[in-house]
Amino acid sequence: MDIKNVDSTYIANTYNRFPIQLCKGNGSLVYDENGKEYIDMGSGIAVNSFGFCDEEWQNVVTAQISQIQHSSNLYYTEPCAKLAELICKKTGMSKVFFANSGAEANECAIKTARKYAAETKGSEFYTIITLKNSFHGRTLATLAATGQDVFHKDFLPLMPGFVYAQAGDTDELHRLVNENKCAAIMFECVQGEGGVIPLSQEYVDEIVKVAKENNLLVICDEVQTGNGRSGELYSYMHYGIKPDIFTTAKGLGGGLPIGAAVLGEKVQNTLTAGTHGSTFGGNPVCCAGALSILNRIDSRLLEDVKKKSEYIINSLCSAKGIESVTGLGLMLGIKTVKPASDVIKICMEGGVLCLSAKDKVRLLPALNIPWNLLEKAVSVIKTASA
Ligand SMILES: *Cc1c(COP(=O)(O)O)cnc(C)c1O
């Protein structure tokens, strides 16, 4: 049996896979089982920040693997402490909890918000306002946080304690704050899975204002938008705000599983020994990889991300068959006249791998994608959309 048959026989049916097997990658190029070459515009869903098998990252990771691959959180290890220090130094936040995925990072943020609110206001203040069309993960708590019925429907009853506000509707935000005993407001500055839709500056300002007036925590989900993806280190920085908690994962490890809940001053001591934990969290190999990734996301790289973003937007926004391009940095959604799935299929045949988000073609290329490959990919997307 070939791999596709083995996979369909033995892997749970939760994924609709594209019909190719990826065998080998190098930077922004990847090769399938027939040796066909593709330009990768998806980065494993914003994970491979510096592309496939980046040499610098690979060296750091393999060096750590030959030192200590795992220790549990019963002992100190250097990569985990250094990574937490770097995240805090770069953001002005106070402490970090390491998890292994975006959903788990959000679980930690939700637990922290509930405990903080219970201790400062009372245990009935557990409601968290999230946004309609958001995505926060697939565990039962983060599923409840996700404001999309399609993800909920087969898994009721939902965990209580979440209400959903329509992004942009400040009246609804005020109404929900008044009608519920709330702990926090949690949101993505750019809704990723929801169709790559940035929030407006006015709405984000209103969230922060309402949170301040009502003593609610502000939680930014930077799982997809974080680690340079948006053109800033974290996307909340575009809006000039400072959350009480932000979470991140995807691009942080450069291809290894790691998530982080990053805690500001207010909540830095909310979680105490025994109140939360993770066996794999802070794994030294993942942290060593993440440390090398985060160290390389400097102002020069971020400028480059912004320039590449502008180039993609300018090339595509008025092209034939394209209605709009939305997003920030190298996280872009293209609304095409043709169904997105058709455009993605034509691109794949033309040697370019794209993703989708709702009804859009979604681009999440490596932050360091070379200009010549980017230009080639954009021209294939343009032709496929026309
Ligand atoms: C992908 C994603 C998650 C979930 O991350 P996992 O690592 O798949 O658990 C949560 N929030 C946002 C915004 C995401 O894009």
Side-chain angles (χ1 to χ4, degrees):
M1 270 204 284
D2 72 279
I3 285 302
K4 288 174 202 170
N5 280 327
V6 177
D7 187 293
S8 335
T9 307
Y10 294 108
I11 295 287
N13 302 315
T14 58
Y15 303 108
N16 277 321
R17 299 200 200 280
F18 290 113
I20 55 171
Q21 178 192 346
L22 297 185
C23 300
K24 188 163 124 6
N26 178 11
S28 286
L29 292 174
V30 63
Y31 302 87
D32 72 10
E33 73 275 27
N34 301 314
K36 179 172 171 178
E37 182 181 273
Y38 301 88
I39 301 171
D40 176 33
M41 295 296 281
S43 307
I45 321 184
V47 167
N48 299 332
S49 299
F50 289 91
F52 289 99
C53 306
D54 173 79
E55 202 179 320
E56 196 174 326
W57 172 85
Q58 210 181 96
N59 288 340
V60 168
V61 165
T62 48
Q64 183 59 45
I65 278 187
S66 29
Q67 290 285 320
I68 275 192
Q69 85 275 30
H70 171 80
S71 68
S72 87
N73 281 299
L74 299 172
Y75 307 96
Y76 294 97
T77 57
E78 182 176 315
C80 143
K82 286 221 161 138
L83 178 60
E85 179 189 36
L86 185 63
I87 294 173
C88 290
K89 290 224 158 121
K90 278 180 175 268
T91 60
M93 299 294 272
S94 303
K95 284 194 196 298
V96 181
F97 176 86
F98 285 121
N100 316 289
S101 66
E104 281 176 272
N106 285 337
E107 290 273 344
C108 176
I110 293 164
K111 282 180 74 173
T112 305
R114 282 192 170 190
K115 189 165 185 287
Y116 179 80
E119 287 169 358
T120 55
K121 303 194 285 190
S123 58
E124 69 276 28
F125 287 85
Y126 59 75
T127 298
I128 296 178
I129 299 173
T130 64
L131 299 186
K132 289 170 190 165
N133 199 44
S134 59
F135 184 82
H136 297 295
R138 295 171 180 280
T139 60
L140 285 167
T142 58
L143 190 68
T146 294
Q148 299 191 53
D149 287 341
V150 294
F151 294 109
H152 295 163
K153 63 178 174 38
D154 297 319
F155 306 102
L156 304 175
L158 288 183
M159 193 183 102
F162 293 93
V163 294
Y164 315 104
Q166 177 63 46
D169 185 341
T170 53
D171 291 343
E172 187 173 36
L173 181 65
H174 286 274
R175 184 174 59 74
L176 291 173
V177 168
N178 293 330
E179 285 175 357
N180 298 279
K181 293 190 161 47
C182 294
I185 306 176
M186 175 169 169
F187 58 95
E188 306 151 84
C189 288
V190 183
Q191 296 190 326
E193 302 304 313
V196 201
I197 306 167
L199 299 184
S200 71
Q201 179 72 52
E202 295 71 33
Y203 189 67
V204 172
D205 287 344
E206 195 64 21
I207 289 177
V208 172
K209 184 164 155 268
V210 171
K212 196 167 177 208
E213 287 166 359
N214 294 276
N215 190 19
L216 312 178
L217 297 173
V218 172
I219 305 174
C220 290
D221 181 338
E222 295 275 355
V223 171
Q224 189 164 158
T225 49
N227 312 298
R229 176 59 51 193
S230 74
E232 294 288 344
L233 184 57
Y234 293 101
S235 68
Y236 68 78
M237 295 170 175
H238 285 277
Y239 293 83
I241 65 164
K242 189 170 181 216
D244 298 298
I245 303 173
F246 78 82
T247 58
T248 191
K250 291 193 169 89
L252 178 61
L256 288 172
I258 182 169
V262 185
L263 310 169
E265 205 177 342
K266 252 194 227 172
V267 294
Q268 61 173 317
N269 295 317
T270 298
L271 296 175
T272 52
T275 56
H276 198 44
S278 164
T279 299
F280 284 115
N283 172 277
V285 178
C286 300
C287 286
L291 196 55
S292 108
I293 294 290
L294 210 53
N295 263 321
R296 289 163 71 188
I297 304 177
D298 55 14
S299 55
R300 219 197 48 192
L301 180 83
L302 293 173
E303 275 318 302
D304 225 41
V305 167
K306 286 179 187 155
K307 273 195 206 126
K308 286 170 181 167
S309 176
E310 248 168 68
Y311 167 75
I312 299 173
I313 295 169
N314 290 339
S315 312
L316 295 181
C317 69
S318 55
K320 187 155 175 271
I322 292 177
E323 289 177 2
S324 66
V325 183
T326 56
L328 278 178
L330 289 176
M331 176 174 171
L332 295 170
I334 307 164
K335 178 84 188 75
T336 50
V337 175
K338 290 183 200 170
S341 56
D342 292 358
V343 175
I344 291 167
K345 187 164 177 274
I346 303 169
C347 285
M348 183 174 287
E349 285 159 8
V352 174
L353 300 183
C354 301
L355 304 173
S356 66
K358 286 275 177 73
D359 59 347
K360 290 184 181 162
V361 177
R362 176 171 43 162
L363 306 182
L364 296 162
L367 303 182
N368 66 343
I369 183 172
W371 275 102
N372 64 325
L373 295 183
L374 183 62
E375 284 160 9
K376 234 162 116 182
V378 164
S379 118
V380 169
I381 294 164
K382 219 168 171 172
T383 311
S385 306

